[in-house]
Amino acid sequence: MEEISGIVSSIRYSNEKTGYTVCDLKSDDNKNITLVGIMPLLAEGESIIAAGEFVVHPDYGRQFAVRRCERKEPTREDSIMKYLSSGFIKGMGASTAKKIVDHFREETFEVLKYEPYRLTEIKGISPERALYFGQAFLEHDRMRNLVMLVQSYGISSGIAARLWNKYGTEAEEEIRKNPYLLSESDIGLSFQACDRIALSSGFEPYSKERLKGAVKYVLWESISDGHTYIPMEELLKAGVKLTGAAEEYLQDAIDALRLEGLIAAERQHPDRIYAEELMEAERYCARKLSLMNKRRDESWIEQGEELVEKYEKELDIYLDDIQKEAVICALSNNVSVITGGPGTGKTTIIRTLIKIFEEKGLKTMLTAPTGRAAKRISETSGYEARTIHRLLEVGYSIENNERPYFMRDEDNPVEADVLIIDEASMIDITIMNALLRALPHDTRLVLVGDSDQLPSVGPGKVLSDIITSNAFPVVRLKTIFRQTEQSSIISNAHLINMGQMPELNHDEGDFYFITKLGGRSVNECIIELCSNKIPEQFGFDPIRDIQVLSPMKKGETGVRQLNVILQQVLNPEKEGKPQKAFGNTIFRLGDRVMQIRNDYAMPWTQYDEKGLFSEGLGVYNGDLGIIEDIDMKAELITVRFDDNRVAEYSFDKADSLEHAFAITVHKSQGTEFPVVVIPLSGVPKSLVCRKILYTAVTRARKLVVLVGSPEIMEEMIGNENEKDRYSGLRERLSENRILYETHFLD
């Protein structure tokens, strides 16, 4: 490799996520050289030493491909001034930088690092501004060192940003001490990648930090798969496979983590390993639900039939016997569950209950887990529904790495006599824990949902556990009401749920199966359907109305590959259309995108249907929207979500978004789309189950098209047993019920 050194004269291109940069260098021997390669956070005016080799690009000519880049602080005054005014210190322009350099000369960097208060010697710089300049300079210097460190290991600068948010100026030191911190759930690097870094840095294979890192990684992976705990046997087995260490060494690491309070187990179940907060969430939910369930109002049973008949006439509706039973059950019990598939009258029951409760003087609130679900139940019921996050008044703490907290809790409870939760199958154990903490003990809780859908994206299977515990009254709706003669979506969904093959349309209708064998032919068919056939034949917008739902992320017909090819066809590159590359991902004006992690601090604005303006904080995992602006100068991506909220993403937050021309079935829960297209090819055995197909089909309002292998569809319909989640809530609820019946009902 050759080495060249000099001063960066201009930055032609820089990718914030990958650190890939194209710049011009004025070399020490006064030559102009174009450099390309990974050089994160480079600024004009910097002195660098670059190692690499000269290459000839077919379009851009001779360039120096950088393999390693080291920085030196500029020493010439003109370079120092150019560096300081390059934009990394907000508010320091060329004139201010010139004043500072003219005053302090070669001491400028020493003053900024160690004596920033001396900047007040310059007229116009206040003490507050001087302190800000010094802090910004120091943070940029440390952040740059951190990015260089992680990228020297082949890790993206997006990981560096998360490390910086978590550890601040101590991030570089923390990672050097323990690279396995990179594999923690809020950073997201694989254990294998951490292992390469640590072992190359001299960590011993049996070091306690390595084995503890492996245990935590296995536990976090289990939680991300939906489990609230992992059996000790599975934890040890996975740990041995990951590290090559003997079980006794891993057992020592588990014991150490338990002593540190980072993982937990109970005396009665020492073989179940929890994250501490999930164990406490399960315990609290079981206690609170059992306590709330002890209250029963017999007077409502006596007048229930009369109330139902009255409101049937007032609302001009008809309730069958099971629906009436559901209404009376919710009226007479403090905790009740109403479950049923699409079209079985859940919304009608919600409307009836709210009408009765409110006319009886009980303050009733309607909520749902996501903004999309809340919007849908608001539109269909005629009553305002709020998301659970909004109901609990979510906030975030800057001091605690922007972790969320809820204003509503035991000391500041939700002021409601009745709380009705729609789409309850989407609630995970952490949200249920926060919700129950904010409810007074005598609040009536009505859980409404489809227990045959997939469980929540987050850990636990709350609705299923509540139902199967046999501790609470449950009414199952069976009669299909919402079904037009021309539509077969709902009837086919119920056939699938009963293990029967759906009735397919051939020429006209709204439920089709197109046989295609092999991933390539399936993808070609989906492209044709989304870009031409469905828009032309049915009049649907290919981006806003058609949603591709795949069972899996990876593979030829997985979400990742489908998004690449669908973007190329539905929203191709065009001269004048703004776009921004982040690694291998290109975001383009008009792209359909999805938020992939909760961001409680993200501000948004919104104009509702009446033109009323509102603003707030928080965008959440699964929120869908369209990119409506990319501002290259301001480095902002503007997204308008499906509920009309508008949020602006700085480029360094773009890794919170991913394309959503196709999304997984899991991420589609709680949402309905006009058209759903479902690929059935190359589905892994673990995902060949009835609930996935049933959930996908029930997301469609007007048209379903399945593309792929008939055999896979038959296998999915025939397999009722999905991979179960480890959850202790059902057992805790059952034990509480038995304890209550033994001690209080004998």
Side-chain angles (χ1 to χ4, degrees):
M1 286 195 297
E2 295 184 60
E3 273 196 1
I4 58 174
S5 60
I7 297 173
V8 178
S9 55
S10 66
I11 305 289
R12 295 192 193 183
Y13 171 80
S14 179
N15 185 303
E16 290 80 0
K17 187 171 183 180
T18 65
Y20 183 82
T21 302
V22 180
C23 68
D24 292 319
L25 185 80
K26 188 78 168 179
S27 69
D28 291 343
D29 55 1
N30 214 32
K31 294 179 180 177
N32 292 312
I33 303 171
T34 300
L35 273 59
V36 296
I38 304 298
M39 297 173 282
L41 298 177
L42 204 61
E44 293 179 3
E46 279 198 276
S47 296
I48 64 170
I49 301 173
E53 57 270 336
F54 281 99
V55 297
V56 178
H57 191 280
D59 295 324
Y60 302 113
R62 193 168 185 260
Q63 301 174 328
F64 190 78
V66 176
R67 301 288 177 254
R68 187 183 71 251
C69 180
E70 297 177 11
R71 290 169 167 83
K72 300 187 298 180
E73 289 183 348
T75 54
R76 286 171 37 189
E77 291 178 13
D78 59 337
S79 298
I80 294 173
M81 191 185 76
K82 192 171 187 180
Y83 175 60
L84 291 180
S85 60
S86 62
F88 72 87
I89 300 179
K90 303 297 183 186
M92 184 182 288
S95 62
T96 303
K98 187 176 187 306
K99 290 177 185 178
I100 294 172
V101 175
D102 286 347
H103 188 79
F104 295 107
R105 305 290 180 182
E106 69 276 1
E107 293 182 7
T108 297
F109 286 160
E110 293 297 308
V111 169
L112 282 164
K113 282 182 181 178
Y114 306 116
E115 300 177 287
Y117 59 87
R118 289 188 56 196
L119 294 175
T120 58
E121 296 171 15
I122 298 170
K123 187 177 179 180
I125 298 182
S126 65
E128 293 79 13
R129 201 171 176 215
L131 186 62
Y132 165 74
F133 283 160
Q135 185 69 21
F137 179 86
L138 195 60
E139 287 191 1
H140 178 80
D141 196 51
R142 290 183 176 177
M143 177 61 175
R144 188 178 58 183
N145 290 340
L146 175 65
V147 173
M148 289 180 67
L149 173 66
V150 300
Q151 291 204 329
S152 70
Y153 297 129
I155 302 168
S156 77
S157 54
I159 293 286
R162 288 180 218 162
L163 284 167
W164 185 263
N165 289 336
K166 184 172 183 179
Y167 297 108
T169 56
E170 307 301 319
E172 183 184 358
E173 183 182 349
E174 291 293 326
I175 294 311
R176 288 190 186 278
K177 285 194 303 186
N178 182 11
Y180 295 100
L181 294 175
L182 289 163
S183 68
E184 294 193 345
S185 57
D186 51 354
I187 305 299
L189 199 64
S190 72
F191 178 83
Q192 292 85 347
C194 295
D195 226 13
R196 288 195 299 272
I197 297 168
L199 296 177
S200 67
S201 302
F203 275 71
E204 294 295 331
Y206 292 98
S207 71
K208 188 61 70 70
E209 292 305 326
R210 179 175 187 256
L211 300 181
K212 285 161 61 178
V215 169
K216 288 191 290 183
Y217 180 75
V218 172
L219 180 57
W220 303 151
E221 286 286 288
S222 173
I223 291 169
S224 69
D225 287 338
H227 305 291
T228 59
Y229 70 84
I230 182 171
M232 177 73 80
E233 183 180 354
E234 288 191 20
L235 177 57
L236 290 171
K237 184 178 179 181
V240 168
K241 184 177 180 181
L242 203 58
T243 64
E247 283 192 4
E248 54 263 33
Y249 290 107
L250 287 159
Q251 185 66 64
D252 289 343
I254 291 169
D255 294 340
L257 288 168
R258 289 183 63 182
L259 286 172
E260 294 172 30
L262 297 176
I263 63 175
E266 298 170 298
R267 284 184 183 177
Q268 62 270 40
H269 297 293
D271 59 329
R272 298 179 181 178
I273 304 300
Y274 283 88
E276 179 75 35
E277 62 183 29
L278 292 185
M279 186 176 75
E280 289 304 317
E282 272 193 4
R283 285 173 165 176
Y284 185 87
C285 288
R287 289 196 306 269
K288 186 66 173 281
L289 284 168
S290 299
L291 183 61
M292 292 173 67
N293 194 41
K294 291 174 184 176
R295 181 173 170 272
R296 180 180 172 89
D297 195 333
E298 300 292 342
S299 64
W300 286 92
I301 298 177
E302 296 171 5
Q303 54 181 312
E305 290 281 353
E306 182 181 331
L307 287 168
V308 169
E309 288 180 13
K310 174 185 175 183
Y311 290 107
E312 275 184 306
K313 292 177 182 177
E314 284 191 17
L315 298 172
D316 191 25
I317 58 173
Y318 166 77
L319 301 178
D320 73 355
D321 289 342
I322 298 180
Q323 287 180 302
K324 290 177 182 177
E325 179 188 345
V327 171
I328 294 171
C329 177
L331 294 175
S332 57
N333 290 279
N334 222 35
V335 178
S336 57
V337 179
I338 300 168
T339 181
T344 54
K346 296 188 295 293
T347 303
T348 301
I349 290 170
I350 288 172
R351 289 173 55 208
T352 305
L353 285 171
I354 294 175
K355 186 78 172 172
I356 293 173
F357 282 132
E358 288 194 338
E359 292 206 10
K360 287 290 184 178
L362 299 179
K363 185 176 181 180
T364 305
M365 289 187 176
L366 180 59
T367 189
T370 67
R372 291 170 287 156
K375 181 181 179 184
R376 187 160 61 87
I377 191 60
S378 294
E379 292 170 348
T380 55
S381 71
Y383 292 93
E384 181 193 6
R386 287 184 276 183
T387 64
I388 295 175
H389 285 91
R390 186 179 163 202
L391 178 74
L392 299 179
E393 299 175 19
V394 66
Y396 68 97
S397 169
I398 296 176
E399 292 78 13
N400 195 16
N401 298 312
E402 296 190 352
R403 284 189 62 120
Y405 65 88
F406 296 103
M407 299 294 292
R408 295 289 180 174
D409 55 19
E410 295 99 328
D411 299 322
N412 182 30
V414 172
E415 297 174 0
D417 299 307
V418 181
L419 181 66
I420 301 174
I421 306 176
D422 191 38
E423 295 286 358
S425 63
M426 297 176 65
I427 301 176
D428 64 41
I429 193 67
T430 56
I431 291 299
M432 193 64 175
N433 175 54
L435 184 63
L436 290 174
R437 288 182 185 276
L439 291 185
H441 292 90
D442 58 352
T443 301
R444 293 176 186 267
L445 180 63
V446 184
L447 298 165
V448 182
D450 186 347
S451 61
D452 293 317
Q453 284 191 33
L454 290 168
S456 58
V457 174
K461 43 176 184 170
V462 173
L463 182 63
S464 173
D465 281 348
I466 289 173
I467 292 172
T468 56
S469 70
N470 296 318
F472 306 91
V474 178
V475 178
R476 298 180 184 273
L477 305 173
K478 298 177 181 177
T479 306
I480 301 175
F481 294 94
R482 179 167 54 89
Q483 180 69 38
T484 64
E485 290 183 7
Q486 294 79 24
S487 176
S488 55
I489 294 175
I490 291 176
S491 60
N492 275 337
H494 284 272
L495 286 173
I496 290 170
N497 199 32
M498 292 186 290
Q500 300 175 30
M501 293 295 291
E503 297 177 359
L504 305 176
N505 302 128
H506 299 287
D507 298 320
E508 295 182 356
D510 59 3
F511 201 103
Y512 297 87
F513 189 99
I514 301 174
T515 299
K516 294 289 179 182
L517 301 180
R520 172 182 273 184
S521 60
V522 167
N523 288 350
E524 289 173 352
C525 180
I526 288 175
I527 289 170
E528 180 64 19
L529 286 168
C530 294
S531 61
N532 294 314
K533 286 191 175 180
I534 293 175
E536 290 173 5
Q537 185 172 344
F538 298 94
F540 291 111
D541 184 277
I543 293 179
R544 296 183 181 276
D545 296 335
I546 302 172
Q547 185 63 62
V548 178
L549 299 181
S550 176
M552 62 275 189
K553 286 184 180 180
K554 300 177 182 179
E556 197 168 6
T557 58
V559 163
R560 292 174 184 169
Q561 178 64 15
L562 283 166
N563 273 316
V564 171
I565 61 178
L566 286 169
Q567 183 197 34
Q568 292 170 354
V569 174
L570 300 181
N571 193 29
E573 185 175 359
K574 185 179 179 182
E575 186 176 351
K577 181 185 287 188
Q579 65 179 40
K580 175 65 178 173
F582 297 91
N584 295 325
T585 300
I586 298 174
F587 288 122
R588 189 172 294 142
L589 181 69
D591 278 350
R592 186 155 177 80
V593 292
M594 178 173 62
Q595 174 79 9
I596 60 171
R597 62 177 63 91
N598 290 336
D599 187 339
Y600 301 92
M602 174 70 80
W604 52 261
T605 59
Q606 180 185 48
Y607 283 93
D608 64 17
E609 289 82 357
K610 299 177 182 178
L612 298 175
F613 174 80
S614 61
E615 56 186 352
L617 296 175
V619 292
Y620 303 108
N621 188 1
D623 285 351
L624 291 165
I626 304 287
I627 294 178
E628 64 172 23
D629 188 37
I630 299 178
D631 188 328
M632 300 301 290
K633 289 185 178 179
E635 298 189 346
L636 291 174
I637 298 174
T638 303
V639 177
R640 182 176 296 276
F641 291 103
D642 289 352
D643 59 3
N644 224 30
R645 287 175 301 141
V646 176
E648 291 183 335
Y649 291 75
S650 58
F651 283 176
D652 63 357
K653 282 199 169 185
D655 63 349
S656 294
L657 295 171
E658 67 181 22
H659 284 118
F661 300 99
I663 63 176
T664 62
V665 178
H666 266 96
K667 285 291 183 77
S668 72
Q669 293 175 86
T671 309
E672 285 187 345
F673 308 97
V675 181
V676 164
V677 177
I678 307 165
L680 296 179
S681 175
V683 182
K685 286 294 182 184
S686 60
L687 298 176
V688 177
C689 69
R690 186 183 302 168
K691 275 192 176 183
I692 288 180
L693 184 59
Y694 172 73
T695 301
V697 167
T698 56
R699 300 308 90 207
R701 287 198 303 269
K702 298 180 179 179
L703 179 65
V704 172
V705 183
L706 300 105
V707 183
S709 163
E711 288 78 13
I712 289 179
M713 181 172 69
E714 290 176 13
E715 287 178 30
M716 294 181 83
I717 293 171
N719 182 20
E720 189 177 5
N721 302 314
E722 63 168 330
K723 186 179 179 182
D724 200 14
R725 293 184 170 190
Y726 295 120
S727 166
L729 181 61
R730 180 195 61 77
E731 191 174 340
R732 296 178 198 276
L733 291 169
S734 297
E735 289 171 354
N736 287 348
R737 175 184 61 82
I738 294 169
L739 183 66
Y740 174 72
E741 290 175 352
T742 303
H743 288 273
F744 297 99
L745 299 183
D746 283 349

